[in-house]
């Protein structure tokens, strides 16, 4: 087996909010984070400000955790929503949390905003979080790592619960017309989990999840992996690079759009690195084994 290497990302906690943009919109915060129309307006303004080729939603990593009962601080015009208080005191309690209802709450508003923007002809990038990032909303991480170490079977059951919810989220995104999905789990990177548990996470969660997503999505959708996830897959021999030559210098985000239909996964750079350029025109896509 190869060795997992880490990716030094400076965007781990970026939520895509810019005070200059929020002031320009005239929206009231945190109310603007609750409703699809204000979310859509904010996404469009951020796209213009960043000179991006997509509208990104949501503006945080908390929607899934909140939809499972998590308590959120909705933030303001300077910072997006973030976790407030933990609702679980034992990791096993996560198994008793309700399934996500995609027809109500902020997660429903996110999907409505996605559909509205797609209907307008925008590329829509939906940010989906991995299990450790979601659990950060629900429980003190120390309890999770203790369970991982002492009760791997229970940890597997928790992973299975999150995989089911993530696949349901992807299905709802498809219904909304989303054509780009970003998957990241910055709270579950090699630098936090260590080699042993990073490898087990790939085996127990990440690889099975992505294989299922691969079956679900069509040629009009692509998944942009966080490079931390990419290197975890490569380091456990679950994936290989596959180069596609686009013929000349191109921004990474634009290259991701262009290879839609030719690849299901990309992930050599963080999509939040808006100015990253592929000077040789070659994008490294990811083929799962």
């Amino acid at each position: 087996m190869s060795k997992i290497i880490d990716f030094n990302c400076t965007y781990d906690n970026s939520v895509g909010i810019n005070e200059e943009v929020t002031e320009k919109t005239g929206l009231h915060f945190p109310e603007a984070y609750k409703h699809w129309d204000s979310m859509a307006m904010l996404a469009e303004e951020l796209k213009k400000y960043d000179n991006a080729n997509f509208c990104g939603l949501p503006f945080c990593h908390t929607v899934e955790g909140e939809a499972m009962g998590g308590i959120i601080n909705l933030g303001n015009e300077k910072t997006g929503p973030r976790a407030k208080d933990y609702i679980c005191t034992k990791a096993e309690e996560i198994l008793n949390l309700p399934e996500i209802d995609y027809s109500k709450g902020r997660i429903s508003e996110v999907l409505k905003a996605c559909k509205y923007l797609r209907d307008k002809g925008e590329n829509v990038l939906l940010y989906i979080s991995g299990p450790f990032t979601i659990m950060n909303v629900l429980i003190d991480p120390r309890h999770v790592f203790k369970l991982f170490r002492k009760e791997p079977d229970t940890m597997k059951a928790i992973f299975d619960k999150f995989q089911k919810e993530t696949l349901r989220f992807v299905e709802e995104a498809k219904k909304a017309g989303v054509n780009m999905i970003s998957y990241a789990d910055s709270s579950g990177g090699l630098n936090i989990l260590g080699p042993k548990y990073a490898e087990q996470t790939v085996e127990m969660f990440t690889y099975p999840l992505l294989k299922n997503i691969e079956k679900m999505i069509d040629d009009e959708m692509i998944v942009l992996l966080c490079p931390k996830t990419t290197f975890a897959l490569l380091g456990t021999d679950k994936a290989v690079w596959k180069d596609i030559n686009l013929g000349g210098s191109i921004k990474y985000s634009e290259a991701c759009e262009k290879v839609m239909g030719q690849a299901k996964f990309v992930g050599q750079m963080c999509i939040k690195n808006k100015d990253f350029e592929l000077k040789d025109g070659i994008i490294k896509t990811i083929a799962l084994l």
Side-chain angles (χ1 to χ4, degrees), residues 17-169:
I17 293 300
N18 182 290
E19 189 177 0
E20 189 176 329
V21 173
T22 55
E23 286 180 358
K24 182 181 176 183
T25 64
L27 295 169
H28 297 287
F29 292 86
E31 285 298 312
Y33 297 128
K34 295 181 182 180
H35 307 291
W36 72 264
D37 50 352
S38 49
M39 288 184 194
M41 179 191 294
L42 188 52
E44 287 180 298
E45 289 301 323
L46 284 165
K47 176 197 171 187
K48 293 175 190 174
Y49 182 86
D50 291 329
N51 192 28
N53 64 315
F54 61 83
C55 292
L57 287 158
F59 314 108
C60 65
H61 306 295
T62 63
V63 288
E64 297 103 321
E66 181 186 39
M68 295 176 78
I71 301 169
I72 303 300
N73 179 336
L74 281 172
N76 52 37
E77 68 279 0
K78 297 180 182 179
T79 59
R82 57 197 182 277
K84 185 178 180 181
D85 296 314
Y86 297 132
I87 61 169
C88 296
T89 55
K90 297 179 181 178
E92 295 90 332
E93 293 173 6
I94 292 171
L95 293 171
N96 297 321
L97 294 177
E99 284 189 344
I100 293 174
D101 184 344
Y102 291 93
S103 68
K104 67 180 186 181
R106 196 157 55 96
I107 202 164
S108 173
E109 297 298 306
V110 168
L111 291 164
K112 289 176 188 174
C114 289
K115 185 176 188 310
Y116 168 80
L117 292 167
R118 279 298 286 156
D119 287 347
K120 287 185 68 175
E122 298 283 4
N123 291 316
V124 174
L125 176 68
L126 178 66
Y127 293 101
I128 287 181
S129 297
F132 290 99
T133 300
I134 299 173
M135 282 188 278
N136 264 357
V137 175
L138 305 170
I139 189 169
D140 188 319
R142 290 177 298 175
H143 300 305
V144 177
F145 298 136
K146 181 180 178 181
L147 189 76
F148 212 160
R149 189 171 64 251
K150 293 190 172 184
E151 297 182 48
D153 289 344
T154 306
M155 192 71 210
K156 177 65 166 57
I158 290 172
F159 276 150
D160 288 347
K161 180 181 178 73
F162 282 116
Q163 179 180 171
K164 181 181 177 182
E165 289 297 350
T166 302
L167 292 173
R168 290 179 65 223
F169 199 8

Side-chain angles (χ1 to χ4, degrees), residues 222-241:
I222 193 165
V223 179
L224 286 58
L225 299 177
C226 165
K228 287 179 178 286
T229 300
T230 298
F231 289 133
L233 291 165
L234 295 171
T236 50
D237 298 325
K238 297 297 186 185
V240 293
W241 293 119

